[in-house]
Each structure stands twice: as C-alpha cells, then as structure tokens.
Amino acid sequence: MKKLIVLCTTLFIHSLLLPSALAQDTKTALVPLPSIDDFSRGKDGWSFALGAGIEYETAYEGSDEFGLELEPAGGLQWRRGNDVFYWVGEAIGWRGLRADTWLFEALVGFDEGRAESDSKKGYLDGLGESDEGFELVLQSRRAFAADWRYWLVGRVVTGGNGNLGLFGVGRRFGEKFDGSGSEVNIVAVFHDSKYANKDFGITAEQSAASGLAATDMGGGFRSIGINYNYRHYVNDNWQIYGEALYEHFSSAVRKSPIARGDFEAEVGIGFIYVF
C-alpha cells in the first residue's frame, strides 16, 4: 500500500488554530497538507521540482530486515484552479479540491512486486517473484473546516493483485497554509483474500520449494497504522521533508510464515528543489 515513512526528524507540534478567513487569504497550496506535493505556488500552469531522499525501511511486507534506500522526489505538475494533474515517479494522477473541504484524488501507479532477493537472509527463497502490475488508487479526504485542521480519509487500491482499503482520521499542526508544517494520520487497513495472499500467502508449490507451511489467507482486517509527514520551506526554491510510518499487523496476518515481524516501519528525509 504504499505504504509507514523521518530520519530523526523532530516532531513539531503546534496547536494554534487560525480563523478560516485568514486561511483563505494566505493559502497558496491546493490544500495546506504537508503530505500533498504542490509546487505551483498558487499559480495556474506548469510546475516542476526535483529532489532525493533517503529511507530506512522494512525490506518487504512482514519482514524483520531493514535497509537504507535512496529515493527520487519531486515531479511534474499542471494546475488549473482547484485541479492538479501530476506525474511523479511511477505514478500519474489527478487531485481536485471541491467546496474547500473535499479533496479527491485518482492515480495509476506501478507495483514492483516482491523478489526473493528482497530478503538478504534468504527467508523468501523458494517463493519466487510476485507479479508486477499497475494499480488504481482512489482517495478522498473530508475536512471538518476550510482550515484543514482535522479530516477523515478513505482510500481504495485495486488491480490485478486484489483490493485494499483504508479509513482513518488526520490532524494538521502548524500555522501556515502553504503546505508546510506537519500532520498525523491514523488509519485502519483492510484487504481481500487475493491481496492478502499476494503479500502473505504460500501456495503448495511454494511450500514444497521453500519449506514454509502452505498458507491460504482470508480477507478482512489487515493492520492499524499511523504516519507522520513534515515539510519545511527553506526558501522559495528549497524544501525539506520528512516522513515516518508504523503499521501493526492483525493477528491473522501475523500467522503467516512470511510475517517474521509484527509490524512494518519506515522513516525518511529528503530535499526538493522547485524550479
């Protein structure tokens, strides 16, 4: 899913509430959320940003191995009013703001799957490689007010490897409305049996090759997660961002021999230059 990311990034907790009128006067981002990239500076037309980050993350779903990975950041965007079309990494999508309190998003992304080599300790030997493929992600957020201090979030991920959904709540910290500051989301995650078996299932053939017990996963509750996003504008061009994520798996998921850990975790930090 895609899935808990802040390399020693300090949690900046600000609780000042600004009036909605002031929010409308000073807001340049589509929505003032650090988790939403917006390089437009409030202007219509094209915008472009480029950067990189480093992440310390779980090697694969259910792994107890961790490693560092360099990730590109930034992307290409085109904005017109309250609509933004974007291309970032292996995803292309659209997001739109409606009635100041509804944010809708749709994107098509590429899932790289899982390889046996993802486990340096050989825990995936014999399981083969899981299928790569494209996924459709549909998401909406409903703010309680135009200042986007609190909101509800829902997301559906669907594709050839099954379906995943989440529902949760979020809270924004900080005083600015330009997309800087920090936010926290708490979500409950659910999957169908096909998606569950993609990450945690073991077929009879895989069992014979790996020595792990055959496992047929059912659908239902997958995990509870919390993620944190931080963004700071150093100047007009440079941004620093941080992310942290923790996802605790359900008891059903933890019964899979692939789930060597009870959780997935990820922390990262990076820089973006806006042209």
PDB file of all heavy atoms in Angstrom, residues 10-14 32-35 149 151 171-174 179-184 228-231:
ATOM      1  N   THR A  10      12.452  15.866  14.032  1.00  0.00           N
ATOM      2  CA  THR A  10      11.773  16.189  15.278  1.00  0.00           C
ATOM      3  C   THR A  10      10.316  16.494  15.011  1.00  0.00           C
ATOM      4  O   THR A  10       9.987  17.138  14.036  1.00  0.00           O
ATOM      5  CB  THR A  10      12.419  17.415  15.941  1.00  0.00           C
ATOM      6  OG1 THR A  10      13.805  17.150  16.079  1.00  0.00           O
ATOM      7  CG2 THR A  10      11.822  17.684  17.313  1.00  0.00           C
ATOM      8  N   LEU A  11       9.445  15.990  15.872  1.00  0.00           N
ATOM      9  CA  LEU A  11       8.021  16.251  15.737  1.00  0.00           C
ATOM     10  C   LEU A  11       7.730  17.674  16.205  1.00  0.00           C
ATOM     11  O   LEU A  11       7.919  18.019  17.364  1.00  0.00           O
ATOM     12  CB  LEU A  11       7.208  15.267  16.588  1.00  0.00           C
ATOM     13  CG  LEU A  11       7.321  13.795  16.211  1.00  0.00           C
ATOM     14  CD1 LEU A  11       6.518  12.953  17.176  1.00  0.00           C
ATOM     15  CD2 LEU A  11       6.868  13.582  14.804  1.00  0.00           C
ATOM     16  N   PHE A  12       7.294  18.477  15.245  1.00  0.00           N
ATOM     17  CA  PHE A  12       6.919  19.855  15.561  1.00  0.00           C
ATOM     18  C   PHE A  12       5.424  19.885  15.819  1.00  0.00           C
ATOM     19  O   PHE A  12       4.633  19.723  14.894  1.00  0.00           O
ATOM     20  CB  PHE A  12       7.257  20.781  14.389  1.00  0.00           C
ATOM     21  CG  PHE A  12       8.723  21.011  14.237  1.00  0.00           C
ATOM     22  CD1 PHE A  12       9.474  20.128  13.483  1.00  0.00           C
ATOM     23  CD2 PHE A  12       9.346  22.074  14.854  1.00  0.00           C
ATOM     24  CE1 PHE A  12      10.835  20.314  13.328  1.00  0.00           C
ATOM     25  CE2 PHE A  12      10.701  22.262  14.697  1.00  0.00           C
ATOM     26  CZ  PHE A  12      11.450  21.385  13.943  1.00  0.00           C
ATOM     27  N   ILE A  13       5.021  20.068  17.052  1.00  0.00           N
ATOM     28  CA  ILE A  13       3.615  20.040  17.404  1.00  0.00           C
ATOM     29  C   ILE A  13       3.155  21.455  17.744  1.00  0.00           C
ATOM     30  O   ILE A  13       3.543  22.025  18.743  1.00  0.00           O
ATOM     31  CB  ILE A  13       3.352  19.123  18.623  1.00  0.00           C
ATOM     32  CG1 ILE A  13       3.886  17.730  18.352  1.00  0.00           C
ATOM     33  CG2 ILE A  13       1.876  19.084  18.946  1.00  0.00           C
ATOM     34  CD1 ILE A  13       3.253  17.054  17.162  1.00  0.00           C
ATOM     35  N   HIS A  14       2.351  22.029  16.853  1.00  0.00           N
ATOM     36  CA  HIS A  14       1.802  23.363  17.043  1.00  0.00           C
ATOM     37  C   HIS A  14       0.294  23.255  17.096  1.00  0.00           C
ATOM     38  O   HIS A  14      -0.294  22.634  16.247  1.00  0.00           O
ATOM     39  CB  HIS A  14       2.180  24.288  15.881  1.00  0.00           C
ATOM     40  CG  HIS A  14       3.643  24.323  15.622  1.00  0.00           C
ATOM     41  ND1 HIS A  14       4.546  24.905  16.471  1.00  0.00           N
ATOM     42  CD2 HIS A  14       4.359  23.819  14.591  1.00  0.00           C
ATOM     43  CE1 HIS A  14       5.755  24.772  15.980  1.00  0.00           C
ATOM     44  NE2 HIS A  14       5.672  24.113  14.837  1.00  0.00           N
ATOM     45  N   PRO A  32      -3.589  22.775   2.515  1.00  0.00           N
ATOM     46  CA  PRO A  32      -2.387  23.051   3.318  1.00  0.00           C
ATOM     47  C   PRO A  32      -1.858  21.826   4.049  1.00  0.00           C
ATOM     48  O   PRO A  32      -1.605  21.868   5.250  1.00  0.00           O
ATOM     49  CB  PRO A  32      -2.891  24.114   4.304  1.00  0.00           C
ATOM     50  CG  PRO A  32      -4.322  23.740   4.527  1.00  0.00           C
ATOM     51  CD  PRO A  32      -4.822  23.245   3.187  1.00  0.00           C
ATOM     52  N   LEU A  33      -1.675  20.708   3.338  1.00  0.00           N
ATOM     53  CA  LEU A  33      -1.250  19.469   3.969  1.00  0.00           C
ATOM     54  C   LEU A  33       0.172  19.105   3.529  1.00  0.00           C
ATOM     55  O   LEU A  33       0.455  19.032   2.332  1.00  0.00           O
ATOM     56  CB  LEU A  33      -2.203  18.332   3.610  1.00  0.00           C
ATOM     57  CG  LEU A  33      -3.658  18.540   4.030  1.00  0.00           C
ATOM     58  CD1 LEU A  33      -4.495  17.318   3.637  1.00  0.00           C
ATOM     59  CD2 LEU A  33      -3.772  18.802   5.522  1.00  0.00           C
ATOM     60  N   PRO A  34       1.084  18.862   4.464  1.00  0.00           N
ATOM     61  CA  PRO A  34       2.459  18.515   4.119  1.00  0.00           C
ATOM     62  C   PRO A  34       2.577  17.236   3.296  1.00  0.00           C
ATOM     63  O   PRO A  34       3.567  17.042   2.593  1.00  0.00           O
ATOM     64  CB  PRO A  34       3.134  18.351   5.490  1.00  0.00           C
ATOM     65  CG  PRO A  34       2.294  19.159   6.427  1.00  0.00           C
ATOM     66  CD  PRO A  34       0.898  19.040   5.919  1.00  0.00           C
ATOM     67  N   SER A  35       1.607  16.353   3.378  1.00  0.00           N
ATOM     68  CA  SER A  35       1.655  15.092   2.631  1.00  0.00           C
ATOM     69  C   SER A  35       1.299  15.257   1.164  1.00  0.00           C
ATOM     70  O   SER A  35       1.489  14.333   0.367  1.00  0.00           O
ATOM     71  CB  SER A  35       0.701  14.071   3.261  1.00  0.00           C
ATOM     72  OG  SER A  35      -0.633  14.550   3.209  1.00  0.00           O
ATOM     73  N   ARG A 149      -7.768  21.539   9.556  1.00  0.00           N
ATOM     74  CA  ARG A 149      -7.134  21.174  10.813  1.00  0.00           C
ATOM     75  C   ARG A 149      -7.374  19.694  11.142  1.00  0.00           C
ATOM     76  O   ARG A 149      -6.492  18.997  11.632  1.00  0.00           O
ATOM     77  CB  ARG A 149      -7.657  22.078  11.930  1.00  0.00           C
ATOM     78  CG  ARG A 149      -6.963  21.900  13.260  1.00  0.00           C
ATOM     79  CD  ARG A 149      -5.511  22.293  13.191  1.00  0.00           C
ATOM     80  NE  ARG A 149      -5.311  23.718  12.949  1.00  0.00           N
ATOM     81  CZ  ARG A 149      -4.127  24.283  12.838  1.00  0.00           C
ATOM     82  NH1 ARG A 149      -3.032  23.553  12.938  1.00  0.00           N
ATOM     83  NH2 ARG A 149      -4.019  25.567  12.614  1.00  0.00           N
ATOM     84  N   TRP A 151      -9.549  16.007   9.536  1.00  0.00           N
ATOM     85  CA  TRP A 151     -10.230  15.446   8.375  1.00  0.00           C
ATOM     86  C   TRP A 151     -10.407  13.926   8.531  1.00  0.00           C
ATOM     87  O   TRP A 151      -9.774  13.278   9.361  1.00  0.00           O
ATOM     88  CB  TRP A 151      -9.436  15.715   7.096  1.00  0.00           C
ATOM     89  CG  TRP A 151      -8.069  15.106   7.087  1.00  0.00           C
ATOM     90  CD1 TRP A 151      -7.707  13.841   6.698  1.00  0.00           C
ATOM     91  CD2 TRP A 151      -6.861  15.734   7.525  1.00  0.00           C
ATOM     92  NE1 TRP A 151      -6.367  13.650   6.861  1.00  0.00           N
ATOM     93  CE2 TRP A 151      -5.817  14.783   7.342  1.00  0.00           C
ATOM     94  CE3 TRP A 151      -6.550  17.001   8.007  1.00  0.00           C
ATOM     95  CZ2 TRP A 151      -4.490  15.083   7.675  1.00  0.00           C
ATOM     96  CZ3 TRP A 151      -5.247  17.286   8.328  1.00  0.00           C
ATOM     97  CH2 TRP A 151      -4.239  16.338   8.154  1.00  0.00           C
ATOM     98  N   ARG A 171      -4.848  14.947  11.412  1.00  0.00           N
ATOM     99  CA  ARG A 171      -4.731  16.198  12.167  1.00  0.00           C
ATOM    100  C   ARG A 171      -3.526  16.950  11.638  1.00  0.00           C
ATOM    101  O   ARG A 171      -2.435  16.390  11.487  1.00  0.00           O
ATOM    102  CB  ARG A 171      -4.555  15.894  13.651  1.00  0.00           C
ATOM    103  CG  ARG A 171      -4.097  17.093  14.533  1.00  0.00           C
ATOM    104  CD  ARG A 171      -5.202  18.082  14.764  1.00  0.00           C
ATOM    105  NE  ARG A 171      -5.021  18.876  15.968  1.00  0.00           N
ATOM    106  CZ  ARG A 171      -4.486  20.083  16.030  1.00  0.00           C
ATOM    107  NH1 ARG A 171      -4.007  20.659  14.951  1.00  0.00           N
ATOM    108  NH2 ARG A 171      -4.414  20.725  17.182  1.00  0.00           N
ATOM    109  N   ARG A 172      -3.712  18.239  11.313  1.00  0.00           N
ATOM    110  CA  ARG A 172      -2.626  19.088  10.842  1.00  0.00           C
ATOM    111  C   ARG A 172      -2.125  19.974  11.971  1.00  0.00           C
ATOM    112  O   ARG A 172      -2.910  20.515  12.749  1.00  0.00           O
ATOM    113  CB  ARG A 172      -3.103  19.965   9.670  1.00  0.00           C
ATOM    114  CG  ARG A 172      -2.009  20.861   9.100  1.00  0.00           C
ATOM    115  CD  ARG A 172      -2.523  21.634   7.890  1.00  0.00           C
ATOM    116  NE  ARG A 172      -3.520  22.638   8.244  1.00  0.00           N
ATOM    117  CZ  ARG A 172      -3.235  23.875   8.624  1.00  0.00           C
ATOM    118  NH1 ARG A 172      -1.977  24.262   8.728  1.00  0.00           N
ATOM    119  NH2 ARG A 172      -4.194  24.734   8.913  1.00  0.00           N
ATOM    120  N   PHE A 173      -0.802  20.130  12.055  1.00  0.00           N
ATOM    121  CA  PHE A 173      -0.166  21.005  13.034  1.00  0.00           C
ATOM    122  C   PHE A 173       0.564  22.130  12.295  1.00  0.00           C
ATOM    123  O   PHE A 173       1.036  21.952  11.186  1.00  0.00           O
ATOM    124  CB  PHE A 173       0.821  20.231  13.899  1.00  0.00           C
ATOM    125  CG  PHE A 173       0.216  19.048  14.603  1.00  0.00           C
ATOM    126  CD1 PHE A 173       0.302  17.788  14.050  1.00  0.00           C
ATOM    127  CD2 PHE A 173      -0.454  19.208  15.798  1.00  0.00           C
ATOM    128  CE1 PHE A 173      -0.249  16.699  14.685  1.00  0.00           C
ATOM    129  CE2 PHE A 173      -1.014  18.127  16.445  1.00  0.00           C
ATOM    130  CZ  PHE A 173      -0.920  16.858  15.889  1.00  0.00           C
ATOM    131  N   GLY A 174       0.666  23.251  12.930  1.00  0.00           N
ATOM    132  CA  GLY A 174       1.354  24.373  12.317  1.00  0.00           C
ATOM    133  C   GLY A 174       0.395  25.497  11.998  1.00  0.00           C
ATOM    134  O   GLY A 174      -0.825  25.352  12.049  1.00  0.00           O
ATOM    135  N   GLY A 179       1.299  24.571   2.754  1.00  0.00           N
ATOM    136  CA  GLY A 179       1.705  23.180   2.637  1.00  0.00           C
ATOM    137  C   GLY A 179       2.862  22.791   3.528  1.00  0.00           C
ATOM    138  O   GLY A 179       3.267  21.632   3.559  1.00  0.00           O
ATOM    139  N   SER A 180       3.409  23.747   4.275  1.00  0.00           N
ATOM    140  CA  SER A 180       4.470  23.424   5.219  1.00  0.00           C
ATOM    141  C   SER A 180       3.848  23.100   6.579  1.00  0.00           C
ATOM    142  O   SER A 180       2.671  23.313   6.812  1.00  0.00           O
ATOM    143  CB  SER A 180       5.451  24.592   5.344  1.00  0.00           C
ATOM    144  OG  SER A 180       4.792  25.745   5.859  1.00  0.00           O
ATOM    145  N   GLY A 181       4.689  22.582   7.488  1.00  0.00           N
ATOM    146  CA  GLY A 181       4.193  22.168   8.796  1.00  0.00           C
ATOM    147  C   GLY A 181       4.237  20.662   8.919  1.00  0.00           C
ATOM    148  O   GLY A 181       5.093  19.993   8.326  1.00  0.00           O
ATOM    149  N   SER A 182       3.317  20.095   9.676  1.00  0.00           N
ATOM    150  CA  SER A 182       3.306  18.652   9.874  1.00  0.00           C
ATOM    151  C   SER A 182       1.884  18.149  10.038  1.00  0.00           C
ATOM    152  O   SER A 182       0.954  18.915  10.305  1.00  0.00           O
ATOM    153  CB  SER A 182       4.151  18.277  11.099  1.00  0.00           C
ATOM    154  OG  SER A 182       3.620  18.887  12.274  1.00  0.00           O
ATOM    155  N   GLU A 183       1.711  16.840   9.862  1.00  0.00           N
ATOM    156  CA  GLU A 183       0.401  16.220  10.008  1.00  0.00           C
ATOM    157  C   GLU A 183       0.559  14.778  10.471  1.00  0.00           C
ATOM    158  O   GLU A 183       1.603  14.149  10.274  1.00  0.00           O
ATOM    159  CB  GLU A 183      -0.383  16.248   8.700  1.00  0.00           C
ATOM    160  CG  GLU A 183       0.158  15.332   7.639  1.00  0.00           C
ATOM    161  CD  GLU A 183      -0.683  15.315   6.382  1.00  0.00           C
ATOM    162  OE1 GLU A 183      -0.595  16.282   5.590  1.00  0.00           O
ATOM    163  OE2 GLU A 183      -1.392  14.328   6.172  1.00  0.00           O
ATOM    164  N   VAL A 184      -0.487  14.248  11.078  1.00  0.00           N
ATOM    165  CA  VAL A 184      -0.526  12.863  11.528  1.00  0.00           C
ATOM    166  C   VAL A 184      -1.828  12.230  11.053  1.00  0.00           C
ATOM    167  O   VAL A 184      -2.895  12.859  11.113  1.00  0.00           O
ATOM    168  CB  VAL A 184      -0.427  12.762  13.069  1.00  0.00           C
ATOM    169  CG1 VAL A 184      -0.672  11.339  13.532  1.00  0.00           C
ATOM    170  CG2 VAL A 184       0.937  13.224  13.555  1.00  0.00           C
ATOM    171  N   TYR A 228       3.289  10.010   9.795  1.00  0.00           N
ATOM    172  CA  TYR A 228       3.618  11.408  10.095  1.00  0.00           C
ATOM    173  C   TYR A 228       4.313  12.011   8.886  1.00  0.00           C
ATOM    174  O   TYR A 228       5.183  11.376   8.275  1.00  0.00           O
ATOM    175  CB  TYR A 228       4.512  11.471  11.327  1.00  0.00           C
ATOM    176  CG  TYR A 228       5.103  12.840  11.602  1.00  0.00           C
ATOM    177  CD1 TYR A 228       4.374  13.812  12.252  1.00  0.00           C
ATOM    178  CD2 TYR A 228       6.412  13.143  11.218  1.00  0.00           C
ATOM    179  CE1 TYR A 228       4.922  15.069  12.508  1.00  0.00           C
ATOM    180  CE2 TYR A 228       6.968  14.388  11.472  1.00  0.00           C
ATOM    181  CZ  TYR A 228       6.212  15.344  12.116  1.00  0.00           C
ATOM    182  OH  TYR A 228       6.755  16.577  12.362  1.00  0.00           O
ATOM    183  N   ASN A 229       3.935  13.229   8.518  1.00  0.00           N
ATOM    184  CA  ASN A 229       4.564  13.950   7.415  1.00  0.00           C
ATOM    185  C   ASN A 229       4.975  15.341   7.877  1.00  0.00           C
ATOM    186  O   ASN A 229       4.226  16.007   8.611  1.00  0.00           O
ATOM    187  CB  ASN A 229       3.595  14.084   6.241  1.00  0.00           C
ATOM    188  CG  ASN A 229       3.346  12.778   5.539  1.00  0.00           C
ATOM    189  OD1 ASN A 229       4.059  12.401   4.607  1.00  0.00           O
ATOM    190  ND2 ASN A 229       2.330  12.048   5.982  1.00  0.00           N
ATOM    191  N   TYR A 230       6.146  15.767   7.415  1.00  0.00           N
ATOM    192  CA  TYR A 230       6.680  17.082   7.776  1.00  0.00           C
ATOM    193  C   TYR A 230       7.243  17.732   6.516  1.00  0.00           C
ATOM    194  O   TYR A 230       7.848  17.064   5.672  1.00  0.00           O
ATOM    195  CB  TYR A 230       7.788  16.935   8.827  1.00  0.00           C
ATOM    196  CG  TYR A 230       8.577  18.198   9.074  1.00  0.00           C
ATOM    197  CD1 TYR A 230       8.056  19.207   9.868  1.00  0.00           C
ATOM    198  CD2 TYR A 230       9.838  18.378   8.508  1.00  0.00           C
ATOM    199  CE1 TYR A 230       8.777  20.379  10.093  1.00  0.00           C
ATOM    200  CE2 TYR A 230      10.565  19.533   8.733  1.00  0.00           C
ATOM    201  CZ  TYR A 230      10.027  20.528   9.523  1.00  0.00           C
ATOM    202  OH  TYR A 230      10.746  21.676   9.744  1.00  0.00           O
ATOM    203  N   ARG A 231       7.016  19.049   6.375  1.00  0.00           N
ATOM    204  CA  ARG A 231       7.574  19.783   5.244  1.00  0.00           C
ATOM    205  C   ARG A 231       7.942  21.199   5.694  1.00  0.00           C
ATOM    206  O   ARG A 231       7.154  21.862   6.374  1.00  0.00           O
ATOM    207  CB  ARG A 231       6.565  19.838   4.090  1.00  0.00           C
ATOM    208  CG  ARG A 231       7.167  20.372   2.779  1.00  0.00           C
ATOM    209  CD  ARG A 231       6.099  20.398   1.685  1.00  0.00           C
ATOM    210  NE  ARG A 231       5.525  19.098   1.459  1.00  0.00           N
ATOM    211  CZ  ARG A 231       5.986  18.212   0.582  1.00  0.00           C
ATOM    212  NH1 ARG A 231       7.034  18.510  -0.141  1.00  0.00           N
ATOM    213  NH2 ARG A 231       5.396  17.044   0.440  1.00  0.00           N
TER     214      ARG A 231
END
